[in-house]
Structure formats: structure tokens, C-alpha cells
Amino acid sequence: MPKLNKSINISAPVEKVFAYIDDPLTSPEWLVGMTEVTDVTGSGVGQHYHWKYNMLGVPLRGETTVSEHVPNQRRVTEGKGGVTSTWTFTFAPHEGGTKLDLEIDYTIPVPVLGKLAEQLVLKRNQRDMDVSMENLKDNMEV
């Protein structure tokens, strides 16, 4: 299972950053490839929603459930469908703003994309993660 990691410092309060990420409907605003989030139910642990995601031109669908929720500290989600993934967000105060760490463990849908594309996907997903975190930073620092 591939793993991506990225840390970024954001000049915005932890509460603001956490609230933004905690709302799955904001995902298409900052997450590269996320095209739609629907059917959001609940909040905190157990929150559930459906999504549409585009990976290298291949449309994927799935659903996500929040498995851990510690306000302003940690948020973990479990996704299944086109991609099986675990997203772990860790938030910490840092120099008047927020240090955000994101770790993603996921399974590449090799039958969908083909074995030859696997390495390309790994590199592209790391780049997309880097851009997504910069998008998040830009959205929070306005």
C-alpha cells in the first residue's frame, strides 16, 4: 500500500484550518482530483459521504467515513470504492498559525489503471498532494 506524507505551515488558527478540512464539502476547493462530494451525513466519528475523484483521467467513485475525530488535533478518514485509503490529518499550533501533517495510505486501483501506470500514478499522486496542500494553505491565508 503506497503512502504519501506532507507537512505544511499555515498562517491561520488551528480552529479555522480544522473546521475547513472537517467539512468534506470544501474538498473540491483544494484537493486536486476531487470533483464532487455528496450525501454528507453526521459529524465527527461516523460522518459519512460519497465522492467522485479523477485520477489521471480515470473517474473514480467511492465513500468515506470518519474513524477518528479529535477537534483541532486529529482527523482520520477511511475511504473505499475506486480507491481504498486512510487519510490522517494532524493539527498543531505553530508560530501563531498551524502545522498540518497529512499522511495518506492508499491502494492504487491497478485493474482500473493497469500495472504499467502504477509508477506514474505514484509520482503524480505525490505531486497532486503537494499542490493540494499549497491550495489549502492559500485558501486559509486569505
Side-chain angles (χ1 to χ4, degrees):
M1 184 180 263
K3 185 179 285 195
L4 301 173
N5 294 289
K6 177 76 177 174
S7 294
I8 195 165
N9 293 322
I10 300 172
S11 296
V14 171
E15 297 80 10
K16 179 180 178 182
V17 178
F18 185 90
Y20 188 71
I21 291 172
D22 199 39
D23 180 358
L25 294 175
T26 66
S27 297
E29 296 174 10
W30 63 272
L31 185 57
V32 174
M34 184 65 72
T35 60
E36 185 178 354
V37 173
T38 60
D39 305 322
V40 178
T41 58
S43 62
V45 172
Q47 181 185 57
H48 185 265
Y49 53 93
H50 291 91
W51 47 261
K52 292 180 183 176
Y53 188 87
N54 187 317
M55 183 181 288
L56 288 175
V58 176
L60 303 171
R61 293 173 179 249
E63 58 187 277
T64 293
T65 302
V66 175
S67 59
E68 189 176 338
H69 189 270
V70 181
N72 306 320
Q73 294 178 32
R74 187 171 162 93
R75 184 176 197 270
V76 180
T77 63
E78 307 288 334
K80 62 183 180 179
V83 175
T84 301
S85 62
T86 301
W87 293 55
T88 303
F89 294 89
T90 306
F91 306 79
H94 180 74
E95 297 179 0
T98 302
K99 180 179 183 212
L100 174 63
D101 295 310
L102 173 57
E103 180 177 289
I104 305 172
D105 290 306
Y106 66 103
T107 301
I108 296 174
V110 173
V112 174
L113 298 174
K115 190 69 175 166
L116 295 176
E118 188 172 2
Q119 289 304 312
L120 174 64
V121 170
L122 288 171
K123 287 180 183 178
R124 177 66 179 265
N125 285 348
Q126 182 63 58
R127 189 177 75 205
D128 287 351
M129 180 185 198
D130 294 345
V131 171
S132 294
M133 293 289 274
E134 289 297 328
N135 290 344
L136 181 60
K137 178 180 175 72
D138 290 346
N139 288 354
M140 292 292 89
E141 292 182 350
V142 291

